[in-house]
Amino acid sequence: MLCCRGVFMKNILMVEVGDWEQSQLYDTFINQQAVELIEKKLCGELITPIYSLESAERYVLSFNTSTALGGRVEVQLRLLCGNTQSMWYSYGRWGAGEVDNCSIKGQSDDFAELVIDELRVKPGVNVTGVQFKAILTRKQELDPSPKLRCITLTNVYTPKKYQLQAVPEIDYTVPRRSQMVVPEIGRYICSPTSVCMVLQYYGEALEPLEVANGTLDSGANTYGNWTYSVAYAAEQGYKAFVYYCRDKSELYTILSQGHPIIASVKLSEQSQLRGAPQAYPHGHLIVVCGLTNTEDGPKIIVNDSASPDEAGVHRQYLVEDFMNVWNGIIYIIEKE
């Protein structure tokens, strides 16, 4: 159980420096903040112990790194099912900046299949544990070492049915940015635009196109890789990870901790989320800025980057509508 700013979160495993003491190290070492390469080594590995894990339908992995000058980190995991184990599933070689970050297709065995950012467990498989591997590389001996600060894995289940209730009054002033004003790729960059808005909320001088270029998954040809989106935020010096709210009322507790969050929604018809600028049949990310109670019922305050202009980004949706189209997935980006 993870304690995030005082909030206990049940559906996540987070492993950090203090959890890596029993790891196998190959040309790497662990300092007080991260694992990194031994001086002048171009490549090294960390293989963690096995951690107990609750079996789930799906898992989403996140990692927080600091990379520079061509440094890369590749994070892999394998599942344990009793006395048997899966293949190593790789999330591709990650690096900051406009580099070729690429998820890997065709990773499937008898246990699970990795589809971009989501590890889908096959029917009948009972997961009991997980193990992580990190491969760190750099181009030149004198280049700064890439650093791995933490790895998280969230369990994903079929969401629990939500019971409508009054909500706490919360409203964070988040900068408003429209993805639609970005030439050529605007229709596809809801995730990086949402990440950009939250980072701007913290004072970072970034633009949606810059974040989009830094989060592009060239392997899947998408800007919507959840793992890469939070990895980009982490490169700016934040703790960032994907989390699944098994109980949707967790949203209120997490949102009350002092910062906005990013939520994943999907709706085949615009009427499913009254007031939305359009339908999102393939999924969409929005910034959740707050909550309010109105005569029409509880509403969620959002920045929806699919608005055709920035004036229309800030909106309110009925909580009842939102809960029906939200899949429980959020990005949490917070100061270290």
Side-chain angles (χ1 to χ4, degrees):
M1 182 179 291
L2 171 67
C3 182
C4 174
R5 287 186 176 270
V7 180
F8 286 102
M9 307 168 75
K10 299 178 180 179
N11 303 317
I12 195 165
L13 170 69
M14 177 174 283
V15 290
E16 300 178 279
V17 172
D19 304 303
W20 293 337
E21 293 178 354
Q22 304 302 316
S23 296
Q24 302 171 55
L25 301 174
Y26 303 95
D27 291 334
T28 57
F29 71 98
I30 300 171
N31 61 31
Q32 293 183 344
Q33 298 179 326
V35 59
E36 56 185 290
L37 290 168
I38 290 174
E39 186 177 1
K40 295 186 178 181
K41 295 295 183 180
L42 298 180
C43 181
E45 292 185 7
L46 170 141
I47 301 177
T48 71
I50 295 170
Y51 302 101
S52 296
L53 187 67
E54 182 181 359
S55 192
E57 299 167 0
R58 291 164 287 153
Y59 299 96
V60 179
L61 179 136
S62 310
F63 50 80
N64 287 188
T65 60
S66 300
T67 60
L69 298 176
R72 306 294 286 270
V73 176
E74 178 182 353
V75 178
Q76 303 178 9
L77 70 81
R78 65 180 173 189
L79 301 175
L80 283 297
C81 304
N83 295 323
T84 58
Q85 59 193 31
S86 72
M87 64 181 285
W88 285 105
Y89 308 102
S90 172
Y91 285 76
R93 296 174 66 237
W94 164 265
E98 296 181 24
V99 297
D100 186 21
N101 294 312
C102 180
S103 61
I104 301 170
K105 298 179 180 179
Q107 298 187 79
S108 178
D109 60 8
D110 292 339
F111 297 86
E113 179 182 13
L114 180 57
V115 182
I116 305 177
D117 47 18
E118 192 173 62
L119 188 62
R120 300 175 182 175
V121 178
K122 295 190 174 178
V125 173
N126 181 40
V127 177
T128 57
V130 65
Q131 187 174 28
F132 302 104
K133 179 194 294 186
I135 303 170
L136 286 67
T137 59
R138 58 183 161 195
K139 292 181 178 180
Q140 304 292 333
E141 290 181 355
L142 298 181
D143 288 346
S145 172
K147 298 177 177 64
L148 173 66
R149 303 196 303 275
C150 75
I151 301 171
T152 65
L153 190 68
T154 188
N155 307 351
V156 182
Y157 309 79
T158 301
K160 288 185 176 180
K161 188 173 179 61
Y162 170 77
Q163 298 295 322
L164 190 64
Q165 56 187 283
V167 298
E169 294 284 340
I170 302 169
D171 191 2
Y172 301 116
T173 304
V174 180
R176 306 170 186 182
R177 305 309 301 266
S178 169
Q179 67 189 79
M180 296 304 186
V181 302
V182 178
E184 298 182 8
I185 63 171
R187 293 174 53 202
Y188 311 107
I189 60 170
C190 59
S191 181
T193 304
S194 296
V195 170
C196 181
M197 285 190 276
V198 172
L199 291 175
Q200 286 186 345
Y201 169 80
Y202 286 121
E204 302 294 336
L206 295 165
E207 294 298 325
L209 181 58
E210 181 181 359
V211 180
N213 288 336
T215 57
L216 173 63
D217 174 358
S218 63
N221 192 28
T222 180
Y223 296 94
N225 184 316
W226 295 339
T227 300
Y228 288 1
S229 294
V230 294
Y232 181 91
E235 289 281 352
Q236 315 310 311
Y238 296 87
K239 177 173 282 187
F241 54 95
V242 178
Y243 179 66
Y244 174 75
C245 297
R246 188 175 185 180
D247 181 345
K248 288 189 173 182
S249 63
E250 273 190 280
L251 177 76
Y252 303 156
T253 307
I254 296 170
L255 195 60
S256 68
Q257 298 309 301
H259 55 77
I261 59 177
I262 297 169
S264 173
V265 298
K266 188 174 184 179
L267 48 148
S268 56
E269 297 180 2
Q270 190 174 358
S271 60
Q272 292 177 272
L273 187 61
R274 284 166 282 184
Q278 63 183 68
Y280 312 116
H282 303 295
H284 183 56
L285 279 298
I286 59 177
V287 179
V288 180
C289 306
L291 299 157
T292 188
N293 295 285
T294 73
E295 292 182 356
D296 297 328
K299 289 189 175 182
I300 191 160
I301 305 167
V302 306
N303 277 7
D304 191 331
S305 64
S307 169
D309 54 48
E310 292 181 353
V313 166
H314 199 61
R315 297 169 182 252
Q316 293 185 7
Y317 299 140
L318 286 169
V319 168
E320 183 177 14
D321 285 356
F322 173 80
M323 290 297 183
N324 288 331
V325 300
W326 174 44
N327 62 8
I329 289 288
I330 60 173
Y331 300 171
I332 295 178
I333 302 171
E334 61 183 15
K335 293 182 178 179
E336 288 273 22

